[in-house]
Amino acid sequence: MPTPKALRPFAHREYRVLIAALAISIFGSGMWAVAMVYQVIQLGGGPLELSLVAAAGSAGLVAFVLAGGIAADRVPQRRLIIAVEGANLAVIATVSGLAMAGLLQLWHVAAGSFVLGVGAAFFFPAYSAILPRILPAQDLLAANGMEGSMRPVLQQAAGPAVAGMVVAALSPSHAVTAVAACHLLAFIVLNFLGQHAQAAPTNGAERDGRGAAAGAGAGAPGTSFLHDLREGVRYTRQTPWLLWTLIWACISVLFLIGPIEVLLPFVVRDQLAGDSRMFGFLLAVMGVGAALGSLFTASFRLPRRYLTVMMVSWGAGSLPLAAVGVMDSFWAIAAALFVFGATGSVGMVIWGTLLQRRVPPHLLGRVSSLDFFVSLALMPVSMALAGPAAEVLPVWLIFLVAGGVCPVMAVIAMAAARMPDDELAHPLDRSPEAERTTAAGD
């Protein structure tokens, strides 16, 4: 009996080690999302303080993600991933120790959140770039689908749900300690990655057959940080489907992230009379929707109109959020979050595969980092503005605007980049090398 498409990457040992460690780490990150909220509340914080702590993590991610992308093209990705997990362990263990000793202050949580954001800035580009190294091209879609389904189940569903129960039964400090244990286990598992994955990136050797000395990739002799950055920016600017998708993502993050991350806990408290358990389970519902969307997408061939499906999924999927601010039913809000999670993951699986199939290999780390930077550049602003905005505007109006802006921007992006024409000219069922060669000449 043939192996199901979604499970094919597990035939490779390095992928099994990497995905096991990633699963443990993102479960801990999901617990942190809830533990951090209620740790801030326990310390006397409200929407404004929670905005500042959440914004600190986003600021760390945005400030260092470009450096993380260049590092992924210059430094062994295995080394980067292990170092990030070690840093995560150190930060969470410190916050846990301070909390258990009764010495924790709000600025400690904010500082820890910032360092975790910096770690994510180096992790995501390295993870994106290491997958094509340890997996054959035909397994990349399945790997993206697996990660796309695993992340919401563990980070948005299981992790928050467990953390909510630990907070309710014990305290936020105990939940933070459990997060530290997760990162310790992930760090141990990552050290079992094979040494062949530690070799430095090939820096375009696959393309020109001359190796890094040809100067085609990051880290070639004589190149600088700014040279590498300009090369990635130039490719992005000259590739319309990439540029306009990132513009859309930047705007959507500005309007969506703050309300979801900062205001939703207070929607649960004020509109539903709920506690940490209800907030955790709402995030779990969104995670289940995202997991199902990812598995569905990864189990079939990508549609020929992949850019259209991606943008329609993202745009239309944000519409239910427009009504969250006026709903007083747990199940109505849960349904809206389920749709948002499912449609968002459909687009993300397509997007991840699109980058790995159409971006030249020696640019993948930098383009991935630019993806995160441009997409998340306004995340700290969104986090920081959500609390103050809720002080002067009704919550229902904030969610209404957030859910209505994204579909309009999706239509504008599709038209400006001529995505319907582009997806027909670059079908994803062609060979990966042919796609990269074509993309490089666009």
Side-chain angles (χ1 to χ4, degrees):
M1 182 177 179
T3 303
K5 182 179 179 181
L7 300 180
R8 289 177 186 172
F10 287 95
H12 306 275
R13 177 192 177 277
E14 303 305 322
Y15 178 79
R16 294 196 300 270
V17 173
L18 182 62
I19 203 67
L22 181 64
I24 299 167
S25 180
I26 65 176
F27 176 79
S29 298
M31 292 191 67
W32 170 255
V34 172
M36 179 269 291
V37 168
Y38 289 96
Q39 188 70 76
V40 170
I41 292 175
Q42 184 184 60
L43 293 172
L48 180 59
E49 289 76 13
L50 184 56
S51 289
L52 294 176
V53 172
S58 302
L61 173 60
V62 172
F64 285 88
V65 72
L66 293 179
I70 293 175
D73 285 337
R74 284 177 172 262
V75 181
Q77 293 126 10
R78 175 187 184 273
R79 188 180 303 165
L80 281 177
I81 291 173
I82 293 175
V84 166
E85 197 57 46
N88 290 343
L89 170 61
V91 169
I92 299 297
T94 300
V95 173
S96 172
L98 291 172
M100 287 297 186
L103 301 174
L104 189 67
Q105 300 179 29
L106 279 172
W107 77 265
H108 294 142
V109 183
S113 182
F114 177 82
V115 176
L116 291 176
V118 174
F122 284 87
F123 177 86
F124 286 119
Y127 175 80
S128 297
I130 202 174
L131 279 183
R133 175 180 293 282
I134 65 176
L135 288 176
Q138 61 268 23
D139 289 339
L140 290 176
L141 173 63
N144 289 324
M146 182 57 60
E147 190 264 344
S149 61
M150 183 184 68
R151 185 174 294 277
V153 167
L154 297 177
Q155 187 170 359
Q156 299 176 10
V162 171
M165 290 186 288
V166 173
V167 169
L170 298 172
S171 71
S173 303
H174 286 85
V176 174
T177 302
V179 174
C182 290
H183 286 293
L184 173 61
L185 183 56
F187 178 77
I188 294 172
V189 172
L190 278 174
N191 280 275
F192 287 95
L193 274 175
Q195 292 300 312
H196 76 273
Q198 188 170 332
T202 50
N203 296 324
E206 298 93 343
R207 287 205 315 145
D208 57 23
R210 293 174 290 171
T223 64
S224 65
F225 178 95
L226 291 178
H227 172 274
D228 294 341
L229 180 59
R230 283 195 298 267
E231 188 177 13
V233 171
R234 182 168 57 251
Y235 177 83
T236 301
R237 189 178 63 246
Q238 295 173 353
T239 310
W241 62 266
L242 179 58
L243 175 63
W244 277 96
T245 301
L246 295 183
I247 291 174
W248 175 88
C250 190
I251 295 173
S252 69
V253 163
L254 174 63
F255 284 91
L256 291 177
I257 295 299
I260 293 174
E261 296 291 337
V262 176
L263 300 184
L264 187 58
F266 298 97
V267 168
V268 171
R269 186 189 69 182
D270 299 335
Q271 295 175 207
L272 305 181
D275 58 9
S276 63
R277 286 168 292 190
M278 182 176 289
F279 174 61
F281 280 112
L282 280 175
L283 294 182
V285 169
M286 184 169 66
V288 169
L292 293 177
S294 293
L295 284 177
F296 177 83
T297 306
S299 299
F300 297 93
R301 293 173 62 91
L302 285 176
R304 193 180 188 193
R305 295 282 187 178
Y306 56 88
L307 287 171
T308 300
V309 172
M310 180 180 72
M311 296 305 299
V312 169
S313 295
W314 283 338
S318 65
L319 277 173
L321 295 180
V324 165
V326 298
M327 294 176 177
D328 58 4
S329 165
F330 169 83
W331 294 110
I333 294 180
L337 293 176
F338 179 89
V339 172
F340 178 73
T343 54
S345 67
V346 169
M348 286 305 300
V349 172
I350 296 174
W351 177 246
T353 306
L354 178 59
L355 291 180
Q356 292 163 347
R357 297 289 297 271
R358 291 187 60 179
V359 174
H362 71 291
L363 290 170
L364 184 53
R366 280 165 286 174
V367 172
S368 296
S369 70
L370 285 169
D371 171 24
F372 283 107
F373 178 78
V374 176
S375 300
L376 304 180
L378 295 181
M379 179 182 283
V381 179
S382 181
M383 297 280 198
L385 290 180
E391 298 288 336
V392 297
L393 297 174
V395 171
W396 68 264
L397 179 60
I398 296 174
F399 276 96
L400 177 64
V401 173
V405 165
C406 295
V408 174
M409 285 306 307
V411 173
I412 293 173
M414 289 177 63
R418 299 183 178 180
M419 291 187 185
D421 294 333
D422 184 274
E423 62 196 355
L424 293 181
H426 303 89
L428 284 179
D429 56 358
R430 295 166 57 185
S431 70
E433 293 303 322
E435 288 160 5
R436 287 168 179 160
T437 301
T438 304
D442 284 349

